[in-house]
Each structure stands twice: as C-alpha cells, then as structure tokens.
Amino acid sequence: MANMERRHPHSLIPVDQHNPDLLWLMQQNVDKTMIKHIVQEIENVIVLDDGSRRAPQQPSESSLPSPPVTPTKGDFNRDASALPTSSPSSSGSTPPAIPSLEDFVGLLHRKSNVQAPTLLTTLVYLNRLKTKLPKMAKGGMPCTRHRVFIATLIVAAKYLNDSSPKNKWWTAYTHCHVKDIYGTSKLFGFSGPEVNLMEMQLLALLDYDLRFQEDDLIDCLSVFFPSSKRLRPKAALTVTPPKKGLAPNVSLPLTPTSPTPPPRRQLQIRVPPRELDLEEDDDGLT
C-alpha cells in the first residue's frame, strides 16, 4: 500500500498513475538511437528547398566546459571575435561549410550535457510545429534544420528546468570547425542575435504555449518503449533433471549478499587471585 501511494518527486502525483515505460525512458542516457530519431523528425518537419542533404562531417571537440563555468568578459569577447563575419546562411560562390544535422545534434548534446527528458521533449515541439507550418513550407537555407533544432532545444531546456544555460552559452555551443568542399577547416556557428531571433520565432509559431500532457509525450516517445517488459525478471529457481543415483541439480539466482562482518574479539578479563578466609565448623565450610 505504501508503494502504491508513493509520489513522484517531479510531478507530485502517485507513481502508479504514470506510464511505467515513460518513467523508464526518462531515466535512460542519451544514445545514438535517440539522436537519429530526432534528426529524422526534423527532416520530416523541415524540407529543404533543393532537397539536398550534405554528407556527414565530423566536427572537432570544443574546449568549452560542460556545464559551463562563469566566463569573464575578456574571454567572452575573445570567443565572439573569432566568429565568422558572415552567417552560415549567407549566399556566396562557395557553399557554406555546415556540419551534418546528426553531428550538430550530438555536438549540442555533448557541450550542453543535456539529459534525455529535455532532449526528447524537443520531439513534442517538433510535432506541434509540423501542424503549425504550411504543408508546402520549405527551408530556404541549408542550415534551416539546424536553426529549428537549436530553437526547440533552448525552449525545452528553459521550460523544463529551473536553471538553464543562457543564450550566449547556447550560441557558443553551436560553434565547431567544419571542412568545406575544398578541405579547408572553417568555423561554423550562429551569432547571439541569430539565436535570440530563432527562439522568438519558434515561440511565435507555437503561440507561446509550451504546455503538454503526458499523453503528448507517450505519442511522440512510444517508439523508444521496449516491446517486452522494461526490465527482465530476475532468474528464477531452476531444477535440472537428476542423473541416475544423483541428487537434482538446483541453480539459484545470484543475489548480492551483505559483506561478512569481521569476527569479534572475545574480551578476556583476568581476575587476580584473592585469598579467601574460610572457617570450618562442625557442619562444614561456612
């Protein structure tokens, strides 16, 4: 009875009222399966104007800490000055160097140390965004999908967490070195005003309504639910048929045992001998 009435620390309602598969999923670590599914959903929501997809390219690791430490003004100005003067979306004779969407999602996950609940909530907003956009809407820039993802991730992080990185840190998280078609390493990333604009545009498309129910999560995340039970049952007691003349072979599941306490030392008390005064009478000793 006590277990049935146990309340979830986040929702403050009884645990048994939640979907058990959803609770299990929220405790998992982010893996490549989640990232690939998010990329697929973004591609379904945003169709590029030319329909092209760039080959995956591996971005380099960043030296920014995760979670970030409080930056100094000089360090932040130095990092901002290293940004390219033109946006990744700027037109030119040479195609802009843009990381693959899967690499970009993984990059933001590693740098921001975002956990599965926040990262998977972006699927709810992507699904809602799909219903808001016109059916024939197409992204005119090669980095449109990157912009949509960073906006949904920022919104999800701010809505779900009491403490979330500021936009200047999300801006820094987008920076990575990518090789262009000529093999030259170039710095990719968005500027602070661009990140702020992406967030505001997404909020406007969602009518500033970020609320969602558990059913919304189940509809978007049921693909991650295991088909069988979440946790395999512990190995049961198995008895193999005995051979002739031998006792049956019983196999017990391995269970953790408490450590054996060290043997106690017996306390020995030595009593010094005393001289006893005994008087003898007719009946014996007294």
Side-chain angles (χ1 to χ4, degrees):
M1 185 65 179
N3 187 27
M4 296 295 291
E5 296 179 354
R6 185 168 63 90
R7 296 182 179 273
H8 195 275
H10 301 296
S11 63
L12 301 181
I13 65 176
V15 176
D16 60 328
Q17 295 185 14
H18 287 294
N19 184 290
D21 289 329
L22 183 61
L23 294 180
W24 170 82
L25 181 62
M26 294 298 102
Q27 297 176 356
Q28 304 306 305
N29 296 325
V30 177
D31 54 15
K32 291 184 178 180
T33 303
M34 298 180 184
I35 294 178
K36 289 180 179 294
H37 183 73
I38 292 175
V39 170
Q40 182 179 1
E41 290 300 316
I42 297 175
E43 292 176 349
N44 293 335
V45 175
I46 304 297
V47 179
L48 298 182
D49 193 9
D50 57 357
S52 62
R53 296 182 183 179
R54 297 185 62 84
Q57 297 180 5
Q58 185 69 24
S60 62
E61 295 291 338
S62 173
S63 58
L64 289 175
S66 179
V69 297
T70 303
T72 61
K73 185 176 181 180
D75 293 339
F76 184 74
N77 292 336
R78 184 179 65 252
D79 295 338
S81 62
L83 283 175
T85 56
S86 60
S87 170
S89 60
S90 60
S91 59
S93 58
T94 303
I98 300 177
S100 67
L101 186 57
E102 183 176 345
D103 289 340
F104 185 71
V105 175
L107 180 75
L108 291 180
H109 162 244
R110 293 192 302 271
K111 287 187 176 182
S112 64
N113 196 26
V114 64
Q115 301 302 309
T118 302
L119 185 64
L120 295 178
T121 302
T122 59
L123 294 172
V124 177
Y125 296 140
L126 288 172
N127 185 52
R128 192 174 299 178
L129 180 63
K130 187 177 183 179
T131 61
K132 300 287 184 179
L133 294 175
K135 294 183 179 180
M136 299 302 295
K138 294 183 178 180
M141 297 179 295
C143 61
T144 300
R145 293 168 175 168
H146 301 68
R147 292 170 174 267
V148 171
F149 173 71
I150 184 64
T152 55
L153 184 59
I154 292 175
V155 168
K158 291 183 178 180
Y159 183 73
L160 296 178
N161 302 281
D162 295 333
S163 177
S164 177
K166 296 182 179 180
N167 281 12
K168 67 179 182 180
W169 280 107
W170 287 114
T171 300
Y173 291 153
T174 64
H175 301 163
C176 63
H177 287 85
V178 184
K179 292 184 178 180
D180 59 10
I181 58 176
Y182 303 108
T184 305
S185 179
K186 293 187 177 181
L187 181 62
F188 170 86
F190 299 109
S191 63
E194 284 180 313
V195 172
N196 294 336
L197 181 61
M198 297 172 200
E199 181 185 8
M200 295 301 296
Q201 289 177 339
L202 178 63
L203 290 174
L205 290 172
L206 298 179
D207 297 329
Y208 293 86
D209 185 10
L210 303 180
R211 297 170 297 177
F212 57 87
Q213 303 296 328
E214 184 170 340
D215 293 338
D216 299 329
L217 286 174
I218 295 175
D219 292 340
C220 296
L221 306 181
S222 59
V223 65
F224 300 109
F225 295 166
S227 57
S228 59
K229 293 184 178 180
R230 295 181 296 110
L231 298 177
R232 294 184 178 180
K234 295 182 179 180
L237 176 66
T238 58
V239 180
T240 57
K243 296 181 180 180
K244 293 182 179 181
L246 298 178
N249 183 17
V250 180
S251 176
L252 294 176
L254 296 178
T255 55
T257 57
S258 57
T260 305
R264 296 183 178 180
R265 297 180 58 185
Q266 296 182 355
L267 182 61
Q268 297 180 356
I269 302 178
R270 296 182 179 181
V271 180
R274 302 186 301 175
E275 293 182 358
L276 301 179
D277 296 334
L278 301 178
E279 296 181 357
E280 184 175 359
D281 56 4
D282 296 340
D283 298 334
L285 297 176
T286 58

